Amino acid sequence: MAISRFSLLLIFSLFLSLSSAEIRHTKIRSDSRPIIPFDEFGFTNTGRLVLNVSDLSLSNPGADHSKLGFFLCTRDSWLHVLQQLENSAVSCALDSGLVHGVVLFDSVSKSGNSFNKTYEETNPDQYTLVFANCVNNLQVSMSVRSSMYNLDGKSGTRDYLSAGRTILPRVYFMFSLLYFALAIFWIHFLYKKRLTVFRIHFFMLAVVILKALNLLCEAEDKSYIKRTGSAHGWDVLFYIFSFLKGITLFTLIVLIGTGWSFLKPYLQNREKKVLMIVIPLQVVANIAQVVIDETRPYGQEWITWKQVFLLVDVICCCAVLFPIVWSIKILREAARTDGKAAVNLMKLTLFRQYYIVVICYIYFTRVIVYALETITSYRYMWTSVVAAEFATLAFYLFTGYKFKPQAHNPYFAVDDEEEEAAAEQLKLEDEFEL
Ligand SMILES: *[C@@H]1O[C@H](CO)[C@@H](O)[C@H](O)[C@H]1NC(C)=O
Ligand SMILES: *[C@@H]1O[C@H](CO)[C@@H](O)[C@H](O)[C@H]1NC(C)=O
């Protein structure tokens, strides 16, 4: 029992902040779990929860209906409820004073095997909707439509986005404008420097435009959810652009890492292999993302795909680092042998910086943003999105700036003094390595 409670707690806390609330339809079939978490939502003081339960059937129709019901519970109270259950202070989560009882099955007027319930939540906080079944070995089947929203202050319109996420459509829209501006600037810049433009610079342009389109669709998708509670605005377009953006961004990192079109016009076999690993994995990652977004959190399917997504993402992030490391190694060796120390040192410095920036970018957008998401209050959930988008923007700007087309190519114009200084430094570095 203790173990299953512990795992319940884990499920509760691990995945809590990730779901985007909207109207959900859930089918429960012959389920005897004592606790079934549904969905979570950040309520303001004008929160509403509407439950429409139909096709309700119990394996033992004579069971005590007062031990079945829905409640809302915050993450903190849940810890205390678990403690109460552990100490036998209460025998059923529904009896705890710490949860907000929404509906007990004995107190609701049912017509046939269905009922409706609207619940007003006036205590602002982040809640999870949970179904409790405190009758041993009782199997419950039902179809549940749950919708949670806040009423907008003045107009009284429904806002289906959780309290901390309600400004996200605007955030995504602002960022998409930034990227469109960036794309226009880049086109202008490429035109000005058209004599020194490589193919990779057009690839960079494509990545920026896809990122802008992706953000625009995300803004529209979120705004559609905000207004209607359903995720079928521009979600298909959003998934398509997410997919293209993911693939092109990783490909760009690999191509720059290999020095393709800067240092050499072709890819080596092992570098092609990295692309052959990363691109299919991105396909998997995007499928996982779609399933995660479209299914109910807490479900087994959801958890599995979440794990698949995390695993694939980690593999892709590690894989893109290899080509940069190989380039650094090749440049180091070239610096020792071909006598053009200054030129090679410059390239070497550039690739080392790039390596560090890619690692920082990956670390920030995966680890720091996740930590932010976990520690910030539900009201400021949007801050982790803003932080991730700023980090991404900084990464794009760095990449564009460092690898921009240059009329005065630093790779070739060097004087003797610089050459000597560089040779000196390389020698120093070698001594440190040994
Ligand atoms: C629930 O609401 C629907 C739609 O308004 C209605 O058709 C249905 O009869 C209601 N059910 C109950 C049990 O009141
Ligand atoms: C759900 O229940 C509410 C009443 O609580 C009712 O107004 C609404 O129409 C119902 N929706 C559906 C789809 O049955």
Side-chain angles (χ1 to χ4, degrees), residues 249-250 252-258 316-325 328 350-366 391-392 394-396 398-399 403:
L249 179 61
F250 275 106
L252 180 68
I253 296 175
V254 171
L255 289 181
I256 291 182
T258 60
C316 285
C317 289
C318 295
V320 297
L321 292 175
F322 281 103
I324 314 178
V325 174
I328 290 176
L350 184 61
F351 274 81
R352 278 181 181 157
Q353 281 175 351
Y354 190 60
Y355 180 67
I356 291 173
V357 168
V358 170
I359 290 185
C360 290
Y361 168 68
I362 290 172
Y363 186 74
F364 193 91
T365 49
R366 270 59 180 183
T392 309
F395 178 68
Y396 279 51
F398 174 87
T399 308
F403 295 93

Side-chain angles (χ1 to χ4, degrees), residues 50-52 116-118 145:
V50 179
L51 275 180
N52 305 92
N116 298 327
K117 174 78 188 179
T118 304
R145 175 186 179 276

Side-chain angles (χ1 to χ4, degrees), residues 52 109-111 114-116:
N52 305 92
S109 59
K110 296 191 207 57
S111 83
S114 64
F115 66 85
N116 298 327

Side-chain angles (χ1 to χ4, degrees), residues 78-331:
W78 183 244
L79 295 176
H80 293 119
V81 174
L82 282 179
Q83 227 158 31
Q84 288 179 330
L85 288 169
E86 211 68 59
N87 305 338
S88 305
V90 294
S91 60
C92 177
L94 286 165
D95 301 334
S96 167
L98 299 168
V99 304
H100 296 197
V102 173
V103 60
L104 292 179
F105 280 18
D106 65 340
S107 66
V108 74
S109 59
K110 296 191 207 57
S111 83
N113 49 11
S114 64
F115 66 85
N116 298 327
K117 174 78 188 179
T118 304
Y119 178 81
E120 294 186 14
E121 181 59 69
T122 50
N123 217 344
D125 211 328
Q126 173 104 336
Y127 293 91
T128 301
L129 174 64
V130 181
F131 173 72
N133 167 5
C134 297
V135 183
N136 278 336
N137 302 322
L138 177 72
Q139 294 179 349
V140 180
S141 301
M142 60 185 167
S143 304
V144 181
R145 175 186 179 276
S146 62
S147 76
M148 294 188 261
Y149 54 89
N150 293 309
L151 291 177
D152 226 2
K154 283 171 234 125
S155 53
T157 51
R158 295 175 181 189
D159 181 345
Y160 286 95
L161 284 182
S162 192
R165 297 179 180 272
T166 185
I167 67 163
L168 280 186
R170 259 177 286 168
V171 168
Y172 286 125
F173 186 68
M174 292 303 295
F175 274 103
S176 93
L177 288 185
L178 268 177
Y179 280 96
F180 278 121
L182 202 60
I184 291 170
F185 173 77
W186 191 246
I187 291 172
H188 177 71
F189 190 73
L190 291 189
Y191 181 73
K192 264 186 20 195
K193 307 268 169 168
R194 58 192 171 281
L195 295 178
T196 48
V197 165
F198 290 109
R199 269 178 295 170
I200 191 112
H201 295 123
F202 293 108
F203 201 84
M204 289 178 181
L205 177 65
V207 173
V208 172
I209 291 177
L210 285 171
K211 174 75 184 170
L213 289 171
N214 180 229
L215 283 167
L216 185 67
C217 294
E218 183 142 30
E220 168 53 32
D221 188 44
K222 284 278 179 294
S223 140
Y224 193 84
I225 293 178
K226 183 181 161 98
R227 282 176 282 129
T228 65
S230 102
H232 298 290
W234 288 15
D235 59 337
V236 175
L237 273 183
F238 164 67
Y239 289 132
I240 292 172
F241 286 124
S242 283
F243 174 61
L244 293 175
K245 183 211 72 183
I247 285 188
T248 49
L249 179 61
F250 275 106
T251 308
L252 180 68
I253 296 175
V254 171
L255 289 181
I256 291 182
T258 60
W260 175 77
S261 103
F262 283 99
L263 304 181
K264 57 186 185 210
Y266 55 87
L267 288 180
Q268 282 167 327
N269 262 340
R270 60 178 180 183
E271 295 164 345
K272 280 186 199 147
K273 269 185 203 136
V274 171
L275 281 179
M276 272 151 47
I277 293 171
V278 169
I279 291 176
L281 282 183
Q282 276 299 303
V283 177
V284 176
N286 279 276
I287 294 171
Q289 192 62 55
V290 174
V291 178
I292 292 165
D293 284 356
E294 299 286 309
T295 55
R296 193 171 62 92
Y298 307 116
Q300 191 51 52
E301 192 188 15
W302 191 88
I303 293 169
T304 311
W305 281 100
K306 192 81 203 169
Q307 285 165 342
V308 168
F309 178 77
L310 289 176
L311 179 69
V312 166
D313 196 46
V314 167
I315 296 175
C316 285
C317 289
C318 295
V320 297
L321 292 175
F322 281 103
I324 314 178
V325 174
W326 293 332
S327 290
I328 290 176
K329 221 172 126 204
I330 289 170
L331 286 171

